[in-house]
Amino acid sequence: MEQVMGKYRDIIFMPRPVSQRHRPMSQLNRAAQFAPFAALTGYEEAVKEEGRRTESRLELDEDRQNRLNCIIMRLSECDERPFLSVTYFCPDKNKSGGEYVTLSGNFRRIEEESMELIFVDGRRVPVLDIYDIEGEVG
Protein backbone atom coordinates (compact mmCIF):
# COMPACT_ATOMS: atom_id res chain seq x y z
CA MET A 1 0.00 0.00 0.00
CA GLU A 2 2.80 2.36 0.88
CA GLN A 3 4.39 1.59 -2.46
CA VAL A 4 1.14 2.52 -4.31
CA MET A 5 0.78 5.70 -2.20
CA GLY A 6 4.27 6.68 -3.14
CA LYS A 7 3.63 6.15 -6.82
CA TYR A 8 0.54 8.43 -6.93
CA ARG A 9 1.33 10.74 -4.00
CA ASP A 10 1.55 13.78 -6.29
CA ILE A 11 -2.08 13.48 -7.55
CA ILE A 12 -3.94 11.75 -4.70
CA PHE A 13 -4.51 14.87 -2.63
CA MET A 14 -5.12 17.31 -5.48
CA PRO A 15 -8.48 19.15 -5.53
CA ARG A 16 -11.15 18.00 -7.95
CA PRO A 17 -11.07 19.91 -11.24
CA VAL A 18 -13.96 22.40 -11.75
CA SER A 19 -15.05 23.40 -15.24
CA GLN A 20 -14.93 27.09 -16.11
CA ARG A 21 -17.50 26.64 -18.93
CA HIS A 22 -20.18 24.33 -17.46
CA ARG A 23 -22.21 24.67 -14.29
CA PRO A 24 -22.13 21.66 -11.96
CA MET A 25 -24.88 19.09 -12.61
CA SER A 26 -27.67 18.84 -10.02
CA GLN A 27 -27.84 15.78 -7.78
CA LEU A 28 -31.14 14.75 -9.45
CA ASN A 29 -29.62 14.83 -12.94
CA ARG A 30 -26.53 12.98 -11.77
CA ALA A 31 -28.75 10.26 -10.28
CA ALA A 32 -30.77 9.99 -13.50
CA GLN A 33 -27.66 8.92 -15.37
CA PHE A 34 -27.70 5.69 -13.39
CA ALA A 35 -31.45 4.98 -13.67
CA PRO A 36 -32.53 1.73 -15.34
CA PHE A 37 -32.51 1.86 -19.11
CA ALA A 38 -35.54 0.59 -21.09
CA ALA A 39 -34.11 -0.61 -24.38
CA LEU A 40 -37.48 -1.60 -25.83
CA THR A 41 -39.90 1.23 -25.14
CA GLY A 42 -43.50 0.01 -25.13
CA TYR A 43 -42.58 -3.68 -25.13
CA GLU A 44 -44.21 -4.44 -21.77
CA GLU A 45 -47.44 -2.69 -22.81
CA ALA A 46 -47.49 -4.67 -26.08
CA VAL A 47 -47.04 -7.97 -24.22
CA LYS A 48 -49.78 -7.03 -21.75
CA GLU A 49 -52.15 -6.06 -24.59
CA GLU A 50 -51.47 -9.32 -26.44
CA GLY A 51 -52.20 -11.34 -23.30
CA ARG A 52 -55.50 -9.54 -22.62
CA ARG A 53 -58.46 -11.77 -23.37
CA THR A 54 -61.56 -10.79 -25.32
CA GLU A 55 -64.83 -12.62 -25.85
CA SER A 56 -66.49 -13.53 -29.12
CA ARG A 57 -69.91 -12.12 -29.93
CA LEU A 58 -72.60 -14.72 -29.20
CA GLU A 59 -75.19 -15.52 -31.85
CA LEU A 60 -78.76 -15.02 -30.66
CA ASP A 61 -81.07 -17.98 -31.05
CA GLU A 62 -84.52 -17.38 -32.54
CA ASP A 63 -86.34 -17.45 -29.16
CA ARG A 64 -84.02 -14.87 -27.61
CA GLN A 65 -84.24 -12.67 -30.73
CA ASN A 66 -88.06 -12.78 -30.64
CA ARG A 67 -88.11 -12.01 -26.90
CA LEU A 68 -85.79 -9.00 -27.40
CA ASN A 69 -87.87 -7.74 -30.34
CA CYS A 70 -91.04 -7.87 -28.19
CA ILE A 71 -89.35 -6.00 -25.33
CA ILE A 72 -87.99 -3.33 -27.68
CA MET A 73 -91.44 -2.88 -29.27
CA ARG A 74 -92.98 -2.42 -25.80
CA LEU A 75 -90.22 0.04 -24.86
CA SER A 76 -90.82 2.09 -28.03
CA GLU A 77 -94.47 2.50 -27.01
CA CYS A 78 -93.70 3.06 -23.31
CA ASP A 79 -94.44 6.46 -21.73
CA GLU A 80 -92.86 5.53 -18.39
CA ARG A 81 -89.18 5.34 -17.42
CA PRO A 82 -88.75 1.72 -16.28
CA PHE A 83 -85.57 0.52 -14.60
CA LEU A 84 -83.71 -1.87 -16.93
CA SER A 85 -80.59 -3.99 -16.88
CA VAL A 86 -79.27 -4.35 -20.41
CA THR A 87 -76.48 -6.78 -21.27
CA TYR A 88 -74.79 -5.94 -24.54
CA PHE A 89 -71.65 -6.69 -26.51
CA CYS A 90 -69.05 -3.93 -26.44
CA PRO A 91 -66.46 -4.40 -29.25
CA ASP A 92 -62.80 -4.01 -28.31
CA LYS A 93 -61.07 -1.01 -29.89
CA ASN A 94 -57.67 -2.69 -30.23
CA LYS A 95 -58.30 -6.30 -31.18
CA SER A 96 -60.99 -8.66 -32.43
CA GLY A 97 -63.74 -9.61 -30.01
CA GLY A 98 -64.87 -7.58 -27.04
CA GLU A 99 -66.72 -8.02 -23.76
CA TYR A 100 -70.26 -8.27 -22.49
CA VAL A 101 -71.25 -5.34 -20.31
CA THR A 102 -74.38 -4.93 -18.18
CA LEU A 103 -75.73 -1.42 -17.89
CA SER A 104 -78.50 -0.60 -15.42
CA GLY A 105 -80.61 2.51 -15.21
CA ASN A 106 -83.88 4.16 -16.06
CA PHE A 107 -84.85 3.89 -19.72
CA ARG A 108 -85.72 7.13 -21.51
CA ARG A 109 -86.41 6.38 -25.17
CA ILE A 110 -85.30 4.58 -28.32
CA GLU A 111 -83.62 6.74 -30.92
CA GLU A 112 -84.73 5.28 -34.24
CA GLU A 113 -82.09 7.00 -36.41
CA SER A 114 -79.10 5.53 -34.61
CA MET A 115 -81.03 2.47 -33.30
CA GLU A 116 -79.94 3.06 -29.69
CA LEU A 117 -81.60 2.69 -26.31
CA ILE A 118 -81.08 5.94 -24.42
CA PHE A 119 -81.12 6.07 -20.65
CA VAL A 120 -82.16 9.01 -18.47
CA ASP A 121 -78.51 9.75 -17.61
CA GLY A 122 -77.56 9.96 -21.33
CA ARG A 123 -75.86 6.58 -21.70
CA ARG A 124 -76.59 4.77 -24.96
CA VAL A 125 -76.71 1.13 -25.99
CA PRO A 126 -76.79 0.06 -29.65
CA VAL A 127 -79.90 -2.11 -30.18
CA LEU A 128 -78.03 -4.51 -32.48
CA ASP A 129 -75.48 -5.28 -29.72
CA ILE A 130 -78.07 -6.18 -27.04
CA TYR A 131 -77.92 -9.73 -25.71
CA ASP A 132 -80.45 -9.49 -22.88
CA ILE A 133 -82.85 -7.02 -21.25
CA GLU A 134 -84.24 -7.46 -17.75
CA GLY A 135 -86.67 -5.23 -15.92
CA GLU A 136 -90.29 -4.20 -15.66
CA VAL A 137 -91.43 -3.48 -19.19
CA GLY A 138 -95.18 -2.77 -19.48
Side-chain angles (χ1 to χ4, degrees):
M1 179 73 172
E2 185 65 35
Q3 188 177 12
V4 173
M5 271 296 262
K7 187 175 180 182
Y8 298 104
R9 183 178 299 274
D10 57 332
I11 61 169
I12 283 182
F13 299 108
M14 289 182 71
R16 174 175 74 80
V18 178
S19 173
Q20 299 298 318
R21 279 195 236 169
H22 305 288
R23 290 186 6 217
M25 189 181 288
S26 71
Q27 291 286 358
L28 185 63
N29 289 341
R30 286 176 55 83
Q33 291 183 47
F34 302 101
F37 173 67
L40 299 173
T41 306
Y43 177 73
E44 284 192 37
E45 289 81 15
V47 169
K48 202 179 288 184
E49 176 63 23
E50 189 63 32
R52 189 171 55 85
R53 297 214 179 258
T54 57
E55 297 178 57
S56 299
R57 183 187 298 258
L58 300 172
E59 289 294 321
L60 300 178
D61 61 22
E62 192 174 334
D63 291 338
R64 183 178 293 272
Q65 185 67 51
N66 289 335
R67 180 180 166 273
L68 288 175
N69 287 340
C70 288
I71 293 172
I72 290 169
M73 284 297 286
R74 281 187 264 153
L75 285 172
S76 66
E77 299 166 354
C78 183
D79 293 332
E80 300 171 9
R81 300 189 190 274
F83 186 84
L84 301 176
S85 288
V86 179
T87 302
Y88 66 100
F89 184 77
C90 185
D92 194 282
K93 294 175 181 153
N94 298 324
K95 56 198 303 188
S96 64
E99 66 178 329
Y100 279 90
V101 178
T102 300
L103 186 137
S104 298
N106 289 87
F107 167 77
R108 182 182 206 171
R109 66 185 172 92
I110 294 178
E111 187 173 286
E112 291 183 22
E113 268 186 45
S114 63
M115 289 297 295
E116 293 177 318
L117 264 78
I118 301 176
F119 287 80
V120 172
D121 60 7
R123 295 179 293 176
R124 297 169 171 255
V125 175
V127 171
L128 297 176
D129 292 335
I130 294 175
Y131 183 75
D132 193 22
I133 299 176
E134 294 179 8
E136 293 297 320
V137 182

